[in-house]
Amino acid sequence: MLYVPAWLIPTFGAITEADRLAMFAQTGAQLPVGRIGEPEDIAQTYLYLMKQPFSTGQVIVVDGGATIV
């Protein structure tokens, strides 16, 4: 099983907090869901897949709709 996350809000970085939040707001506004993903978004997908014993060999894209934009 493979999951493919896109933009996520990291917990660290080399840019200032204000610049990082501005970048995430601008990028998130362009996504169909209107925001950047949180680590919990990936965790929820992973937990869902772990409960599906019959799913094998799947690529799950968790990107807030970025692949359709």
Side-chain angles (χ1 to χ4, degrees):
M1 214 174 310
L2 173 68
Y3 56 93
V4 184
W7 283 86
L8 291 178
I9 295 176
T11 57
F12 58 88
I15 64 175
T16 67
E17 182 71 13
D19 289 343
R20 182 172 44 237
L21 293 175
M23 178 183 68
F24 291 149
Q26 180 182 12
T27 302
Q30 298 173 20
L31 296 175
V33 297
R35 65 178 179 84
I36 295 294
E38 301 277 349
E40 291 79 17
D41 296 317
I42 303 303
Q44 289 298 319
T45 303
Y46 183 76
L47 290 173
Y48 170 78
L49 291 172
M50 293 302 294
K51 295 176 184 177
Q52 306 303 316
F54 204 70
S55 295
T56 59
Q58 302 301 310
V59 175
I60 308 298
V61 180
V62 181
D63 68 358
T67 55
I68 62 172
V69 174

